[in-house]
Amino acid sequence: MVSLPEAGFLAQASDRLKLMLEEEAIEARLGTGDVLFQHGDTGDALYVILQGMMEVSILSQNGRKLSMDLMGPGSVFGEIALFDPGERTATITATQPCRVLKVQNADVMRQVRRNPELAVDLTRLAGQRMRWINMQLHEQVFLTVPTRLARKLLHLAQLQSEDNCSVSLSQSELAEYVGATREAVSKTISVWKKQGIIEASRGGLEILDSDTMEELADPEQI
């Protein structure tokens, strides 16, 4: 029997949902750079990350990639297709070797009909996803590039490092996460580096002054 991580969404999931995953899911492995599914593919399954990190991205109308988030162990995704069958709304790519569980939509819905309490978990997951999407839209519309960058750095550092201070992404990759040009991100990083807030290198950056970064990430400070 597969061992489910006590992290992410699964940390608060019901025992019934965990049992359903253990009974119905099949495991798949992906290497760094492998695409699990692409924006526009038919949505036919629910997924859980057991190990590794996966990137959520979309393409703008002009073809520019926008990285929305990184997901780690315990993350559950693909639930939108349960409520509204159709095309995938984003591309999911492994940023490091990953193990994931896959449960076909038909199997999930069969389990829901047998155990209606599972719908509570799935509705809560969908609600969290909607709040996250609204937050991303709000940030893109109302927040400045420096504020968006500060918020994203703090979020990514929590996912990528034990000390919550290191981010292993290039400035071009950070620009994809912030939804800005590389030049705008590089200019902001250069200013912060001079102020001693961060240390930057080709392989990523390190947050040296977390308190100041928290202040920069606060929209009320604008």
Side-chain angles (χ1 to χ4, degrees), residues 14-35:
S14 69
D15 292 339
R16 182 65 256 180
L17 176 61
K18 295 175 183 177
L19 181 60
M20 184 271 287
L21 294 172
E22 292 170 351
E23 291 179 344
E24 300 287 352
I26 58 173
E27 183 176 331
R29 294 175 181 264
L30 296 93
T32 302
D34 287 349
V35 175

Side-chain angles (χ1 to χ4, degrees), residues 128-182:
Q128 289 182 4
R129 190 79 63 204
M130 289 301 299
R131 283 194 295 274
W132 176 78
I133 291 172
N134 288 336
M135 182 181 69
Q136 296 296 312
L137 178 60
H138 182 276
E139 290 188 0
Q140 289 294 322
V141 173
F142 295 109
L143 301 186
T144 64
V145 170
T147 302
R148 297 205 309 267
L149 179 58
R151 292 167 70 89
K152 193 62 70 175
L153 286 176
L154 289 169
H155 173 65
L156 293 173
Q158 289 182 340
L159 293 172
Q160 289 192 327
S161 63
E162 293 183 0
D163 60 5
N164 297 333
C165 291
S166 301
V167 175
S168 301
L169 293 172
S170 68
Q171 293 185 18
S172 295
E173 290 171 324
L174 282 173
E176 293 174 354
Y177 276 98
V178 176
T181 64
R182 184 189 183 284

Side-chain angles (χ1 to χ4, degrees), residues 16 21 23 26 51 60 63 65 67 76 94 96 108 140 156-157 160 183 188-189 213 216 220:
R16 182 65 256 180
L21 294 172
E23 291 179 344
I26 58 173
Q51 183 180 3
S60 65
K65 177 184 172 184
S67 298
V76 181
Q96 57 185 249
V108 175
Q140 289 294 322
L156 293 173
Q160 289 192 327
E183 290 75 17
T188 302
I189 288 176
M213 188 62 70
L216 291 167
E220 299 300 323

Side-chain angles (χ1 to χ4, degrees), residues 40-77:
D41 288 351
T42 300
D44 61 354
L46 182 75
Y47 293 91
V48 178
I49 300 177
L50 296 179
Q51 183 180 3
M53 303 289 293
M54 308 199 80
E55 176 194 68
V56 184
S57 66
I58 60 175
L59 289 179
S60 65
Q61 291 185 344
N62 62 8
R64 192 177 75 177
K65 177 184 172 184
L66 177 62
S67 298
M68 304 296 291
D69 202 4
L70 279 179
M71 300 184 296
S75 295
V76 181
F77 59 97

Side-chain angles (χ1 to χ4, degrees), residues 196-209:
I197 301 171
I198 62 172
E199 181 59 52
S201 65
R202 287 189 176 183
L205 56 82
E206 181 179 359
I207 300 172
L208 302 177
D209 188 342

